[in-house]
Amino acid sequence: MEKIKTTVIGAGIVGLSIAEKLSQNFDELLVVEKEESFGRHASSRNSEVIHSGLYYPKGSLRAKLCVRGNKLLYNFLKKHDIPHRNCGKLIVATTEEEKSILNELYKNGMRNNVEDIRIISEEEAKGLEPEIHSHGALHVPSTGIMDSHSVMKKLEFLTEKNGTMISYATEVSDIKKVKDGYILSFKNDDFKIKTEILINSAGLWSDDIAEMAGIDIAANNYELHYCKGDYYKTTRYRNFQHLVYPVPTNISLGIHIRINLNGEVSFGPNAYYVDELDYKIDETYKQDFYESINTYLTIGKEDLHLDDCGIRPKLQAKDEPVKDFVIKNEKNLGLPNFINLVGIDSPGLTACPAIAEYVEELIE
Ligand SMILES: Cc1cc2nc3c(=O)[nH]c(=O)nc-3n(C[C@H](O)[C@H](O)[C@H](O)COP(=O)(O)OP(=O)(O)OC[C@H]3O[C@@H](n4cnc5c(N)ncnc54)[C@H](O)[C@@H]3O)c2cc1C
């Protein structure tokens, strides 16, 4: 049986960030990914927004890792010349009543040390984005957009350059805890690997991996709920200068304007719970999109066309309070150096370099 000191399960943006970070100091490191290439799930089906960190409760992992991740990510993008734009965003009050929500978000952002945020008037918001109607907005300059595929490609390149192997089409199917580590088995393959440090970065399947390692996921509240979000695109508008968001809901940041680096415009994601992992989409929610977008931008249904979707791995079940990321060394559950990442929903894309630092600190 082959022995590898450290194994990372999952080559989404989080697993790749962890692997890239550890590969700088760790000799024997392996990444296993069930798909044929990196980032086939949440990491390629999202808004590609570099978040500021203003939404999350002070002291939560989400807040800390997003604020730090924002800075680390911009540094990484600049250092490696990866396409991105620090465009900033506007969170708009679509009624007078929503202005109090902007104030709460502003105060929360200040508590989390998000830089340069400012409440602006309806006139100033109009000056920044003439097509948008609002009753005032929160201006968040540190928000941006990036080419996340290029980020993952660079992380893959750097990880492999440091001598780490990334094994694609390699699906972990069983984990056995032994005295000094873990034995991994793989689907459709007879070989096994023994590893001392095991990192679960399996995104939508991270609860399954935790269960394979022997964790009672119900007792530990690690059960994931799939929360799908669709996007609609339009050619009616182009080249907004800022991302534009409504105020957030309990389960999502709201149907916002997504802009890409080519200036193309789409809207989403909405949020609805599903039982299956299935990326097929239809027009069930078109009316909701139409109504929601028209609270801040005038658009006809004929200008909205189905685009794509993503599925969030949420720890939060329907109508429950928002839960924080789980990122733990599960030594208290009798699994030393099983580093468990469960429920890495938004802002996982932004937080990924900070998550990687945090994971390195958890390894003993
Ligand atoms: C609709 C949507 C919009 C979002 N927008 C944003 C945004 O704008 N900004 C932001 O910061 N975040 C955003 N997010 C969140 C962000 O996309 C995720 O937090 C991030 O991509 C999670 O990365 P990951 O590597 O943990 O998961 P994934 O990308 O899902 O990667 C997990 C990997 O593990 C592999 N795997 C699973 N099981 C096994 C196994 N048994 N063996 C081997 N490999 C396995 C999978 O194949 C997969 O490649 C959004 C998410 C969604 C769904």
Side-chain angles (χ1 to χ4, degrees):
M1 181 166 31
E2 189 153 354
K3 288 188 184 162
I4 298 278
K5 179 133 182 162
T6 308
T7 305
V8 178
I9 305 173
I13 201 160
V14 174
L16 287 173
S17 298
I18 294 167
E20 192 274 329
K21 177 83 183 140
L22 298 185
S23 69
Q24 295 170 23
N25 300 315
F26 284 44
D27 285 338
E28 285 176 46
L29 178 65
L30 171 72
V31 181
V32 289
E33 164 56 55
K34 70 183 177 67
E35 305 292 351
E36 302 282 334
S37 61
F38 60 72
R40 295 268 183 106
H41 295 284
S43 299
S44 58
R45 295 174 160 275
N46 55 64
S47 302
E48 298 195 293
V49 172
I50 306 164
H51 285 300
S52 64
L54 69 79
Y55 294 105
Y56 320 106
K58 183 176 162 57
S60 64
L61 275 180
R62 271 200 158 90
K64 281 194 279 201
L65 298 175
C66 185
V67 173
R68 171 123 183 100
N70 175 292
K71 292 206 164 51
L72 293 175
L73 195 53
Y74 278 120
N75 289 345
F76 184 85
L77 294 163
K78 282 181 206 144
K79 179 172 174 192
H80 296 289
D81 210 11
I82 294 172
H84 68 285
R85 189 148 70 86
N86 181 192
C87 52
K89 92 170 174 185
L90 299 177
I91 305 175
V92 294
T94 61
T95 60
E96 275 300 302
E97 293 70 49
E98 284 182 358
K99 282 177 157 180
S100 62
I101 304 178
L102 294 188
N103 283 325
E104 288 309 313
L105 288 171
Y106 171 78
K107 283 191 222 151
N108 203 56
M110 293 301 283
R111 283 195 286 271
N112 288 348
N113 296 323
V114 177
E115 287 167 4
D116 304 328
I117 48 176
R118 221 160 43 87
I119 303 265
I120 60 173
S121 66
E122 181 180 340
E123 292 69 37
E124 199 175 340
K126 200 85 189 152
L128 292 175
E129 285 299 345
E131 304 285 356
I132 299 295
H133 345 290
S134 78
H135 291 250
L138 179 59
H139 183 223
V140 189
S142 59
T143 303
I145 51 173
M146 64 170 173
D147 173 355
S148 51
H149 181 85
S150 297
V151 173
M152 288 188 276
K153 209 166 162 43
K154 181 57 76 178
L155 289 169
E156 181 196 48
F157 170 78
L158 294 171
T159 303
E160 290 181 333
K161 191 164 144 251
N162 289 338
T164 293
M165 184 180 165
I166 305 178
S167 179
Y168 291 109
T170 308
E171 178 170 346
V172 175
S173 58
D174 187 52
I175 301 170
K176 191 165 178 288
K177 168 83 186 78
V178 288
K179 201 169 130 260
D180 47 354
Y182 302 89
I183 295 178
L184 305 184
S185 306
F186 301 92
K187 193 173 166 189
N188 304 328
D189 236 314
D190 284 340
F191 79 98
K192 291 187 194 298
I193 287 175
K194 182 159 174 217
T195 195
E196 283 174 40
I197 301 163
L198 181 59
I199 299 167
N200 171 15
S201 184
L204 291 159
W205 293 266
S206 51
D207 56 346
D208 295 343
I209 296 290
E211 199 160 35
M212 281 181 209
I215 294 179
D216 180 341
I217 59 165
N220 288 285
N221 291 320
Y222 290 171
E223 266 167 325
L224 288 177
H225 306 272
Y226 305 143
C227 185
K228 196 163 173 176
D230 307 339
Y231 292 90
Y232 280 77
K233 62 187 167 192
T234 189
T235 49
R236 167 86 175 73
Y237 293 99
R238 257 191 87 81
N239 294 325
F240 284 108
Q241 296 306 306
H242 302 80
L243 294 152
V244 179
Y245 282 65
V247 296
T249 71
N250 185 36
I251 55 169
S252 85
L253 302 187
I255 295 176
H256 62 83
I257 295 180
R258 177 174 73 167
I259 49 179
N260 68 17
L261 292 160
N262 299 323
E264 290 157 342
V265 172
S266 56
F267 306 96
N270 61 343
Y272 55 100
Y273 285 90
V274 292
D275 295 327
E276 302 292 325
L277 286 175
D278 179 353
Y279 296 119
K280 281 207 278 300
I281 41 174
D282 60 35
E283 297 206 337
T284 306
Y285 298 101
K286 187 165 184 177
Q287 180 67 20
D288 294 352
F289 272 78
Y290 169 72
E291 287 173 17
S292 173
I293 299 162
N294 273 281
T295 60
Y296 57 84
L297 178 73
T298 305
I299 194 159
K301 273 195 201 151
E302 65 288 358
D303 285 318
L304 292 173
H305 310 284
L306 263 185
D307 192 4
D308 55 9
C309 73
I311 301 181
R312 309 164 177 92
K314 273 203 185 290
L315 284 165
Q316 174 193 16
K318 204 164 186 266
D319 302 328
E320 276 187 354
V322 181
K323 292 183 180 154
D324 201 5
F325 292 160
V326 168
I327 308 178
K328 277 188 180 168
N329 184 330
E330 299 287 15
K331 57 184 179 183
N332 292 339
L333 297 179
L335 299 169
N337 280 334
F338 177 66
I339 313 292
N340 206 10
L341 292 91
V342 190
I344 311 298
D345 175 20
S346 191
L349 207 65
T350 310
C352 63
I355 292 176
E357 281 184 346
Y358 189 69
V359 164
E360 187 170 33
E361 285 166 19
L362 289 176
I363 295 171
E364 292 181 347

